[in-house]
């Protein structure tokens, strides 16, 4: 059974207390890490220290760019990485992330698939949607459909996490996918759950705005990593300091973050179903951001979907269990050929 956060069940009062508690805990962790470094205490090497070989190893990777043209929209430019050979698989990240969220999964797919990891508009290195474009899912689906066309992709397998999972499901409904793998897709919450998730994400955004030196010191200690990523990761100790710093930097630089949260308040973000297509819905058993009971709502709307639990994983299973995530994706793409996800 999935672990349901008691904070969700306790309602709106808990949401308010959670934001304050998280901010207090994060400030305390930052003060502890800063104090340790000033007193000459021992901390792990951090990105930016002399001789650190992995400084900015994630953000330093060069992106390619493509321009999509859709009727009714100005040109849409998207940053992407592409590697591997075989059937195309498009990877879509969650809110506040970028394409590098998939860095641990891509090598496991590229031997047999043509893997394209995209930065969604307004995240990573992709420019935001034009100011005149509405911030809603139909517009996002239209824009990404145009990007798929510009990349020469005809019905790719689409994989998405959180926000990207919701978009992947909507892309399938619009006829832009041959299969879907959605990891903890957003949008299947009730109002209390949505407020809880937005409070956690907003607090993480505040943390991401701390100076890089503070974030690096926090990432170098166990207490700092627990404060920064314990809510999102099931196995916080497995998230390397450099990776955590890069993730927070991506969150800080997400120009579409606030607009995306506002758009997430809309009702009925997903309606209908997805017939005649392999759909896999996967959820971490330790997801503290979106409780696992939301998975049941997804499969109630998409009766043919395969539902998979990810033991020990938090909200971002690509970091907790990249091998298991890669296997799920490959199984779904093979199911397309066989006509079943069972």
């Amino acid at each position: 059974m999935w672990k349901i956060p008691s904070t969700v069940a306790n309602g709106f009062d808990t949401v308010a207390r959670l934001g304050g508690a998280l901010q207090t805990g994060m400030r305390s962790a930052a003060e502890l890490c800063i104090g340790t470094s000033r007193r000459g205490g021992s901390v792990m090497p951090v990105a930016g220290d002399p001789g650190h070989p992995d400084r900015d190893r994630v953000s330093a990777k060069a992106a390619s760019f493509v321009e999509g043209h859709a009727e009714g929209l100005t040109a849409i430019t998207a940053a992407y990485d592409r590697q591997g050979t075989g059937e195309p698989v498009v990877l879509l990240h969650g809110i506040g992330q970028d394409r590098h969220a998939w860095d641990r999964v891509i090598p496991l797919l590229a031997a047999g698939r043509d893997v394209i990891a995209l930065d969604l508009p307004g995240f990573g290195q992709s420019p935001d949607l034009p100011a005149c474009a509405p911030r809603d899912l139909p517009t996002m689906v239209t824009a990404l459909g145009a990007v798929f066309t510009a990349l020469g992709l005809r019905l790719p397998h689409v994989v998405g996490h959180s926000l990207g999972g919701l978009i992947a499901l909507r892309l399938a409904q619009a006829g832009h996918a041959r299969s879907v793998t959605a990891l903890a897709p957003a949008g299947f919450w009730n109002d209390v759950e949505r407020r809880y998730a937005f409070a956690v994400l907003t607090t993480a955004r505040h943390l991401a705005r701390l100076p890089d030196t503070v974030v690096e010191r926090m990432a170098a200690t166990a207490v700092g990593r627990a404060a920064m990523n314990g809510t999102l990761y099931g196995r916080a100790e497995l998230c390397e300091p450099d990776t955590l710093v890069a993730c927070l930097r991506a969150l800080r630089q997400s120009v579409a973050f606030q607009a995306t949260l506002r758009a997430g308040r809309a009702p009925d973000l997903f309606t209908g179903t997805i017939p005649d297509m392999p759909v896999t819905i996967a959820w971490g058993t330790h997801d503290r951001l979106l409780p696992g009971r939301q998975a049941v709502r997804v499969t109630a709307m998409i009766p043919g979907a395969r539902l998979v639990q990810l033991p020990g994983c938090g909200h971002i299973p690509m970091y907790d269990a990249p091998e298991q995530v890669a296997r799920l994706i490959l199984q779904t793409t093979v199911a397309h050929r066989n006509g079943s996800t069972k």
Side-chain angles (χ1 to χ4, degrees), residues 37-267:
S37 64
R38 286 175 177 171
R39 292 192 300 271
S42 175
V43 296
M44 294 169 54
V46 296
D49 282 349
H52 194 287
D54 293 328
R55 178 175 183 175
D56 297 335
R57 63 180 168 85
V58 173
S59 59
K61 293 181 181 178
S64 299
F65 293 88
V66 64
E67 189 172 274
H69 298 270
E71 184 176 354
L73 291 177
T74 57
I76 304 297
T77 300
Y80 71 96
D81 293 331
R82 188 170 191 171
Q83 59 181 285
T85 58
E87 294 182 0
V89 176
V90 174
L91 305 177
L92 305 177
H93 59 79
I95 185 172
Q97 296 181 307
D98 60 19
R99 67 191 187 279
H100 296 297
W102 299 98
D103 278 358
R104 294 185 180 181
V105 177
I106 290 172
L108 305 174
L109 300 176
R113 300 292 185 273
D114 174 16
V115 185
I116 304 98
L118 290 174
D119 283 343
L120 292 171
F123 297 95
Q125 293 178 264
S126 290
D128 200 3
L129 292 172
C132 59
R135 175 68 59 172
D136 56 25
L137 283 166
T139 300
M140 185 66 69
V141 167
T142 298
L144 289 177
V147 169
F148 287 5
T149 299
L151 287 169
L153 303 176
R154 185 180 180 276
L155 293 182
H157 301 282
V158 182
V159 181
H161 164 248
S162 199
L163 169 65
L166 173 60
I167 294 172
L169 295 171
R170 293 291 297 261
L171 283 165
Q173 284 188 318
H176 295 303
R178 70 180 72 179
S179 77
V180 174
T181 305
L183 311 177
F188 295 90
W189 43 52
N190 60 33
D191 194 55
V192 171
E193 292 164 347
R194 179 188 63 78
R195 288 174 181 266
Y196 164 81
F198 284 19
V200 172
L201 291 169
T202 299
T203 300
R205 170 84 159 179
H206 290 320
L207 171 65
R209 290 172 172 165
L210 289 171
D212 277 349
T213 53
V214 175
V215 171
E216 289 167 356
R217 291 292 175 188
M218 291 179 68
T221 66
V223 66
R225 287 195 297 277
M228 289 191 290
N229 66 10
T231 305
L232 298 178
Y233 300 86
R235 299 163 182 166
E237 72 279 3
L238 299 182
C239 188
E240 298 173 356
D242 284 343
T243 300
L244 180 55
V245 171
C247 289
L248 289 174
R249 187 177 294 120
L251 176 57
R252 181 179 64 206
Q253 296 172 351
S254 298
V255 298
F257 180 85
Q258 291 296 341
T260 301
L261 282 189
R262 287 194 295 270
R265 300 186 187 125

